[in-house]
């Protein structure tokens, strides 16, 4: 079945270091991928997305990498700050254009001062 | 703020109560979604509406009844819920069914 998984439930990094959060997906028909950030008491917040015709996309301090060969997605955060502490979810659109997103379980990023 | 609001933010209800969750989006989107978020589980899609028409019901029990009177408003009517229905209920909207989904802050529901 379709599933999206993250490799680590928790990632702890030092403030100022770079963070890498990984995600594996199973549906090779997925052509759209999104990263969301969810802080405590809030809904998921869109960070960055990427389509399958690209392998890299950069935003402000964030970079998403897509490796379709091994069905792997990663989110890199440069110079991690305490405000980056949150749960990060990857999502894929699966097969078809139904609007149905399939979410991973999330990785909790803890930033140590 | 994402432009998607939800009320109430917190709700405690008994198993025999009837309550409704409300979602409103100010983004001009035409697709709206209900998700359930339980601890230690991925977000679960419940319903999808596109131009007020329900296009997805992800095998949700009938004690959850959605209503979409227009493209800006979405309701989730609740009755005779079970304690295992306690969760964070998130609303999202997007421009078209394939657009990026933007989430509201959620309603934290506790069923006693």
């Amino acid at each position: 079945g379709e599933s999206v998984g993250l490799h680590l439930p928790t990632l702890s990094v030092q403030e100022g270091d770079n963070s890498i959060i990984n995600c594996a997906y199973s549906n090779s028909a997925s052509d759209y991928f999104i990263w969301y950030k969810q802080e405590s008491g809030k809904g998921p917040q869109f960070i960055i997305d990427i389509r399958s015709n690209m392998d890299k996309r950069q935003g402000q301090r964030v970079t998403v990498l897509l490796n379709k060969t091994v069905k792997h997605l990663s989110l890199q955060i440069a110079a991690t700050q305490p405000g980056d502490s949150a749960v990060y979810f990857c999502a894929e659109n699966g097969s078809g254009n139904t609007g149905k997103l399939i979410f991973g379980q999330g990785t909790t990023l803890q930033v140590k001062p | 703020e994402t432009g998607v609001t939800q009320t109430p933010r917190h709700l405690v209800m008994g198993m025999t109560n009837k309550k409704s969750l409300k979602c409103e989006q100010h983004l001009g989107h035409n697709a709206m979604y209900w998700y359930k978020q339980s601890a230690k589980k991925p977000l679960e899609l419940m319903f999808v509406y596109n131009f007020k028409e329900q296009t997805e019901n992800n095998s949700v029990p009938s004690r959850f009844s959605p209503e979409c009177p227009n493209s800006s408003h979405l309701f989730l009517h609740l009755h005779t819920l079970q304690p295992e229905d306690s969760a964070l209920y998130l609303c999202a909207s997007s421009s078209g069914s394939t657009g990026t989904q933007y989430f509201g802050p959620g309603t934290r529901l506790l069923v006693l």
Side-chain angles (χ1 to χ4, degrees):
Chain A
E2 297 177 334
S3 66
V4 180
L6 295 176
H7 294 306
L8 291 174
T10 304
L11 177 66
S12 185
V13 299
Q14 204 69 38
E15 181 179 357
D17 287 352
N18 297 333
S19 302
I20 300 176
I21 301 172
N22 295 304
C23 180
Y25 65 94
S26 61
N27 191 332
S28 55
S30 292
D31 60 5
Y32 180 57
F33 305 86
I34 311 172
W35 281 101
Y36 285 94
K37 170 187 179 183
Q38 187 173 21
E39 297 174 272
S40 180
K42 298 184 178 180
Q45 175 189 356
F46 170 82
I47 302 174
I48 193 167
D49 58 4
I50 189 167
R51 296 205 175 270
S52 59
N53 61 350
M54 303 174 69
D55 52 22
K56 180 179 179 179
R57 190 162 188 227
Q58 287 185 292
Q60 187 177 15
R61 277 200 311 117
V62 295
T63 300
V64 55
L65 299 177
L66 175 63
N67 185 330
K68 295 180 287 294
T69 302
V70 295
K71 290 186 283 193
H72 184 268
L73 191 70
S74 69
L75 177 71
Q76 300 178 1
I77 305 173
T80 313
Q81 302 169 359
D84 295 326
S85 294
V87 179
Y88 289 81
F89 296 94
C90 64
E92 61 175 317
N93 67 341
S95 53
N97 292 320
T98 63
K100 185 174 181 177
L101 289 179
I102 304 160
F103 285 83
Q105 290 196 311
T107 289
T108 300
L109 177 65
Q110 298 173 338
V111 181
K112 295 178 289 186
Chain B
E1 296 300 324
T2 64
V4 182
T5 58
Q6 290 186 242
T7 55
R9 294 294 310 277
H10 300 273
L11 179 62
V12 180
M13 59 187 290
M15 288 189 285
T16 58
N17 291 159
K18 289 185 180 181
K19 297 287 183 183
S20 295
L21 310 185
K22 179 183 176 182
C23 175
E24 183 174 1
Q25 58 95 1
H26 310 274
L27 301 169
H29 290 164
N30 44 42
M32 297 188 77
Y33 311 78
W34 279 117
Y35 286 87
K36 175 183 179 182
Q37 187 176 35
S38 305
K40 309 296 183 184
K41 293 176 69 175
L43 271 74
E44 301 172 56
L45 178 68
M46 300 174 73
F47 302 102
V48 180
Y49 277 82
N50 201 10
F51 289 101
K52 302 187 300 178
E53 298 297 319
Q54 188 181 123
T55 57
E56 182 90 19
N57 177 337
N58 203 24
S59 302
V60 181
S62 60
R63 57 186 184 270
F64 294 91
S65 175
E67 178 189 0
C68 188
N70 54 61
S71 293
S72 299
H73 294 85
L74 185 65
F75 296 89
L76 188 63
H77 304 300
L78 316 171
H79 69 98
T80 59
L81 293 194
Q82 304 299 310
E84 59 264 29
D85 296 321
S86 299
L88 181 67
Y89 288 85
L90 291 160
C91 172
S93 71
S94 66
S95 177
S97 61
T98 58
T100 301
Q101 294 179 25
Y102 293 89
F103 287 82
T107 295
R108 175 70 62 186
L109 174 67
L110 177 61
V111 182
L112 300 177

